[in-house]
């Protein structure tokens, strides 16, 4: 009998430690499926961040390094410059990528580092227990915006995909969501495109993934998916912001 | 015999690194070491299987070093005091991950933005760890352009041998100075194989990872203890110093780098006046040459530590002397270089 569903080879047997309803696990699986489909597992080096996905090095069945908080694009740059024929990806949260690591992501994109960035935007700092992220929505209550995010003093949520799309050497930039099967299918296609861009040595690629954090949003998994759909997608529109055709 | 060339200190470090097999450099410009960054750009951008990246910051540079070094190649970054402060988090991660790399600090006056004159006020930062956590760098203190060359090459070997970052602790004067240097034929040294830990892609083996954390304190304690074993070994095997005129010295100066050079002139001047001054010049600042200082303390009862700081290495000298002799201190701060006369005058106070 043909096996129709199994664990991708690019994932280890270690069970995920994410909370129920958290999208980190789905994102891992999609990345692993893409690595399998391109048959690049044995030639891949992944860079995990500091954040809830700090343990991603245990989950991805590829060589991995855990970067300092926010510095994954720099660490990935170091690896890729030594091993231009390896597949190098970072996996980063929104505090990691859009706050402490803003300089690193902007400059990796601007140099056109031939790496793929998987950016998990869950509008919160998950690991540290629910503080405001640069992507936290206006009015959203977090530990450090207890009266709701006030743009007058805290600014507006940063749209990283749009911001990085202004850079000439950013070859592929998209935003996807994992809140329903149709979106998951689109997300997978987009992740595949991003890695294709790297395989073709066309430069920097990033997929921003809108994700849930039911635990720190204080919602059930189903409510969290609904909240993402109703609040995040209108502010963070899905789609492709930059494709290699525009770069050429 | 190797080739002899006239070179500026900062460029000599670059050439030495390349000859030591370093093909990857990540840095951010800062005076007084920018010539090194420029030298690496000029050379590495034209080489195959090599990379030079002007990083967006020193923070990015050291994290690029982390990535590159994790693949097993020789990598270097360089900066001067404020930039070295920015690198500390990354250096701590690299040390915990037990990955070799070389970091050059051509010190300038501090604290703060300070100035761009030579100084030795980053001693504590360099030898005591610098970033968070229980760790040390292997710290080498050259005092001539020739030594910048030799110690840079040694730094790569030592870093590989102990899978620990090594630091060249120089200063702006050494970096800017022109001297004749020889690139000597070096004896081949056996270095540990990196194939047990480097990241290459997991073809033909289990996947592996480089991390600098473990949330289980029992495991993390063991990890710390293992790292500490390397420091014990370093203290046993890798201590280096230069001893000058210690026999019958009335007073022994302890100084490193630029100040040790100046102190040698002081010793000559003193000799003419019939005063016998000795010098202990630590070449490795970590591991620190405690034993020679301790054994000297039994014979010579007077020490004078001279630094371009307000008193940092003197603390280690006192620890080594352990009350057996008098330890005095003379220092200049903010980028001022003490003159040989000044040091002699100071020495005479204790004779
Ligand atoms: C230099 C530094 N500052 C702060 C922290 C603490 N810290 C750990 S994870 C994190 C935020 C993680 O949030 P995010 O990147 O959004 O990832 P998530 O957990 O939401 O997936 C912070 C602030 C740290 N580890 N290092
Ligand atoms: S805290 Fe949030 S982001 Fe972290 S695992 Fe739990 S649900 Fe996921
Ligand atoms: Mg987050």
């Amino acid at each position: 009998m043909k096996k129709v569903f199994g664990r991708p080879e690019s994932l280890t047997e270690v069970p995920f430690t994410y909370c129920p309803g958290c999208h980190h696990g789905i994102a891992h699986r999609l990345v692993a499926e893409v690595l399998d489909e391109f048959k690049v597992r044995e030639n891949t080096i992944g860079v995990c961040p500091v954040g809830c996905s700090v343990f991603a090095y245990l989950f991805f069945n590829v060589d991995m390094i855990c970067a300092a908080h926010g510095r994954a694009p720099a660490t990935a740059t170091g690896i890729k410059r030594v091993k231009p024929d390896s597949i190098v990806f970072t996996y980063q949260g929104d505090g990691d990528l859009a706050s402490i690591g803003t300089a690193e992501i902007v400059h990796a994109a601007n140099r056109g580092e031939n790496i793929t960035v998987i950016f998990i935007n869950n509008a919160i700092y998950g690991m540290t227990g629910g503080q405001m992220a640069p992507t936290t929505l206006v009015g959203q209550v977090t530990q450090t915006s207890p009266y709701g995010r006030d743009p007058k003093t805290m600014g507006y949520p940063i749209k990283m995909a749009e911001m990085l799309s202004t850079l000439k050497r950013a070859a592929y930039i998209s935003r996807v969501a994992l809140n329903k099967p149709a979106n998951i299918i689109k997300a997978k296609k987009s992740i595949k495109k991003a890695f294709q861009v790297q395989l073709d040595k066309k430069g920097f690629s990033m997929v921003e993934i809108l994700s849930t954090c039911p635990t720190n949003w204080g919602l059930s998994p189903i409510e969290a998916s609904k909240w993402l759909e109703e609040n995040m997608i209108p502010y963070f529109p899905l789609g492709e912001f930059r494709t290699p055709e525009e770069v050429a | 015999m190797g080739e002899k060339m006239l070179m500026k200190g900062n460029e000599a470090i670059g050439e030495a690194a390349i000859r030591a097999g370093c093909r990857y450099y990540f840095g951010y410009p800062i005076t007084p070491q920018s010539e090194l960054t420029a030298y690496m750009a000029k050379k590495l951008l034209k080489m195959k299987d090599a990379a030079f990246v002007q990083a967006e910051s020193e923070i990015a540079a050291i994290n690029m070093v982390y990535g590159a070094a994790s693949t097993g190649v020789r990598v270097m970054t360089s900066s001067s005091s404020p930039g070295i402060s920015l690198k500390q988090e990354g250096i701590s991660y690299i040390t915990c991950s037990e990955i070799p790399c070389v970091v050059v600090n051509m010190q300038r006056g501090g604290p703060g933005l300070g100035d761009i004159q030579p100084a030795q006020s980053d001693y504590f930062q360099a030898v005591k760890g610098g970033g968070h956590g229980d760790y040390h760098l292997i710290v080498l203190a050259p005092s001539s352009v020739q030594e910048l060359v030799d110690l840079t090459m040694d730094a790569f070997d030592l870093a590989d041998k102990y899978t620990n970052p090594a630091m060249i602790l120089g200063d702006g004067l050494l970096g800017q100075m022109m001297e004749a240097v020889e690139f000597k034929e070096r004896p081949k040294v056996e270095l540990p194989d990196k194939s047990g830990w480097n990241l290459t892609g997991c073809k033909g083996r289990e996947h592996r990872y480089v991390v600098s954390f473990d949330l289980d304190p029992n495991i993390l304690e063991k990890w710390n203890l293992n790292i500490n074993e390397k420091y014990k070994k370093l203290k046993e095997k890798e201590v280096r110093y230069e001893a000058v005129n210690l026999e019958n010295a009335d007073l022994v100066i302890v100084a490193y780098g630029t100040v040790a050079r100046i102190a040698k002139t002081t010793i000559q001047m003193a000799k003419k006046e019939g005063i016998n001054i000795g010098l202990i010049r630590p070449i490795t600042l970590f591991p620190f040459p405690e034993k020679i200082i301790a054994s000297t303390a039994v014979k010579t009862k007077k020490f004078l530590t001279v630094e371009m700081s307000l008193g940092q290495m003197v603390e280690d000298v006192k620890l080594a002397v352990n009350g057996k002799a008098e330890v005095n201190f003379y220092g200049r701060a903010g980028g001022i270089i003490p003159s040989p006369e000044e040091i002699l005058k100071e020495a005479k106070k204790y004779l």
Side-chain angles (χ1 to χ4, degrees):
Chain A
M1 214 171 86
K2 190 173 172 251
K3 190 168 165 188
V4 290
F5 193 79
R7 223 173 155 73
E9 220 193 332
S10 296
L11 288 180
T12 62
E13 298 295 321
V14 180
F16 292 145
T17 41
Y18 300 111
C19 308
C22 174
H23 286 176
H24 268 304
I26 308 175
H28 281 27
R29 185 179 172 101
L30 296 184
V31 172
E33 284 179 1
V34 167
L35 296 176
D36 279 9
E37 285 164 26
F38 282 125
K39 298 195 169 37
V40 293
R41 185 185 78 84
E42 296 183 322
N43 189 31
T44 295
I45 301 176
V47 186
C48 56
V50 180
C52 277
S53 46
V54 71
F55 290 113
Y57 69 91
L58 294 172
F59 306 140
F60 284 108
N61 192 15
V62 304
D63 277 7
M64 296 285 294
I65 180 170
C66 179
H69 192 23
R71 317 303 171 201
T75 303
T77 296
I79 297 168
K80 190 74 179 191
R81 292 298 182 117
V82 179
K83 302 185 77 62
D85 297 324
S86 288
I87 297 302
V88 178
F89 75 93
T90 72
Y91 186 103
Q92 304 176 251
D94 43 8
D96 195 80
L97 180 143
S99 186
I100 194 167
T102 324
E104 284 74 13
I105 194 67
V106 167
H107 289 277
N110 193 47
R111 288 189 302 266
E113 292 298 338
N114 193 34
I115 59 172
T116 300
V117 173
I118 306 296
F119 168 37
I120 304 294
N121 174 356
N122 57 10
I124 199 120
Y125 282 22
M127 172 159 245
T128 38
Q131 297 82 8
M132 183 176 70
T135 44
T136 289
L137 296 180
V138 169
Q140 191 181 331
V141 171
T142 70
Q143 271 192 2
T144 49
S145 58
Y147 311 109
R149 181 179 189 151
D150 177 2
K152 280 204 221 82
T153 53
M154 303 166 184
Y156 286 90
I158 298 186
K159 299 181 177 182
M160 285 311 292
E162 286 85 339
M163 209 171 109
L164 295 178
S165 294
T166 63
L167 301 172
K168 249 183 148 168
R169 288 275 286 139
Y172 181 76
I173 295 198
S174 70
R175 186 183 289 118
V176 300
L178 303 175
N179 61 318
K180 53 187 184 192
N183 279 346
I184 294 177
I185 292 167
K186 280 190 204 154
K188 163 103 180 266
K189 276 194 186 138
S190 192
I191 293 170
K192 201 158 180 180
K193 259 193 183 172
F195 278 97
Q196 185 67 57
V197 163
Q198 184 179 168
L199 280 160
D200 297 343
K201 304 207 161 151
K202 289 196 172 141
F204 180 86
S205 55
M206 181 181 89
V207 180
E208 176 174 338
I209 303 179
L210 302 183
S211 311
T212 51
C213 176
T215 302
N216 289 303
W217 291 357
L219 300 173
S220 73
I222 292 170
E223 288 169 335
S225 270
K226 194 157 169 265
W227 191 87
L228 186 153
E229 168 119 37
E230 289 171 0
N231 296 281
M232 286 182 81
I233 297 181
Y235 185 84
F236 294 114
L238 306 183
E240 291 181 328
F241 297 87
R242 194 113 171 126
T243 55
E245 296 75 50
E246 297 168 64
V247 180
Chain B
M1 268 270 294
E3 307 153 63
K4 262 212 156 137
M5 306 186 206
L6 191 65
M7 279 190 106
K8 200 175 199 177
N10 283 330
E11 297 185 339
I13 299 173
E15 184 59 30
I18 291 169
R19 288 179 189 234
C22 170
R23 295 289 177 277
Y24 301 94
Y25 174 94
F26 306 92
Y28 188 85
I30 183 168
T31 309
Q33 65 78 54
S34 292
E35 296 86 356
L36 172 50
T37 311
Y39 191 85
M40 295 312 264
K42 194 168 80 183
K43 294 283 166 164
L44 294 179
L45 287 172
K46 292 269 183 206
M47 284 171 102
K48 244 177 70 94
D49 298 323
F52 165 89
V53 178
Q54 177 170 330
E56 55 272 29
S57 68
E58 289 86 350
I59 297 176
I62 192 69
N63 287 287
M64 290 174 186
V65 167
Y66 187 26
S70 74
T71 70
V73 296
R74 288 191 157 182
V75 200
M76 184 167 86
T77 185
S78 64
S79 187
S80 179
S81 310
I84 295 292
S85 292
L86 277 183
K87 290 185 197 287
Q88 294 301 333
E89 184 201 31
I91 293 174
S92 169
Y93 276 56
I94 298 171
T95 312
C96 188
S97 303
E98 302 192 66
I99 298 231
C101 69
V102 173
V103 178
V104 177
N105 180 5
M106 301 309 267
Q107 301 169 85
R108 59 189 245 181
L113 186 55
D115 61 18
I116 55 171
Q117 303 308 316
Q120 295 181 325
S121 41
D122 302 347
Y123 177 91
F124 283 152
Q125 185 195 53
V127 309
K128 304 295 176 188
H132 59 287
D134 243 334
Y135 74 92
H136 291 280
L137 304 179
I138 301 163
V139 185
L140 305 175
S143 100
S144 64
V145 179
Q146 182 63 54
E147 247 186 4
L148 282 176
V149 165
D150 298 339
L151 294 182
T152 296
M153 292 183 169
D154 291 344
F156 282 101
D157 287 351
L158 286 166
D160 280 352
K161 194 166 161 193
Y162 291 90
T163 55
N164 195 84
M167 175 175 275
I168 297 290
L169 190 68
D171 63 55
L173 186 82
L174 289 167
Q176 301 300 321
M177 179 157 75
M178 291 271 272
E179 276 182 337
V181 289
E182 186 186 344
F183 290 90
K184 298 169 202 151
E185 288 287 341
R186 289 167 63 86
K188 200 141 179 64
V189 278
E190 271 312 309
L191 291 170
D193 183 14
K194 295 179 178 178
S195 69
W197 57 262
N198 69 335
L199 303 182
T200 55
C202 60
K203 197 170 167 61
R205 58 162 169 79
E206 295 280 291
H207 85 116
R208 61 165 65 133
Y209 41 82
V210 168
V211 299
S212 69
F213 77 104
D214 198 302
L215 298 188
D216 181 339
N218 292 303
I219 297 178
L220 189 60
E221 184 182 50
K222 276 210 189 90
W223 191 338
N224 269 278
L225 289 170
N226 284 341
I227 292 175
N228 206 46
E229 281 306 310
K230 299 194 288 190
Y231 301 143
K232 284 190 196 153
K233 225 178 244 158
L234 272 157
K235 287 180 188 177
E236 263 166 48
K237 299 196 166 144
E238 309 292 352
V239 171
R240 286 197 233 172
Y241 60 88
E242 184 192 5
V244 181
N245 203 32
L246 290 189
E247 288 308 308
N248 310 316
D250 304 316
L251 175 140
V252 171
I253 291 176
V254 186
Y256 71 95
T258 291
V259 178
R261 261 176 103 102
I262 300 165
K264 285 182 183 170
T265 309
T266 304
I267 291 173
Q268 294 312 315
M269 290 165 61
K271 223 175 226 159
K272 283 186 196 137
E273 298 183 25
I275 305 169
N276 215 354
I277 295 180
L279 171 71
I280 295 174
R281 173 173 78 89
I283 297 173
T284 53
L285 294 176
F286 187 91
F288 192 68
E290 306 161 339
K291 283 186 189 145
I292 180 70
I293 293 175
S295 60
T296 307
V298 181
K299 296 176 273 175
T300 305
K301 289 291 164 202
K302 288 180 178 133
F303 282 84
L304 174 63
T305 306
V306 188
E307 299 175 56
M308 291 193 287
S309 86
L310 292 184
Q312 301 195 14
M313 184 177 69
V314 65
E315 293 192 2
D316 288 331
V317 175
K318 280 186 179 160
L319 279 173
V321 165
N322 199 18
K324 303 239 159 47
E326 161 190 322
V327 179
N328 303 291
F329 174 74
Y330 182 66
R332 296 298 304 263
I336 303 275
I337 306 168
S339 70
E341 293 80 7
E342 217 176 316
I343 298 174
L344 181 58
K345 199 172 140 205
E346 194 63 25
K348 281 180 179 168
K349 279 193 198 163
Y350 306 105
L351 291 170

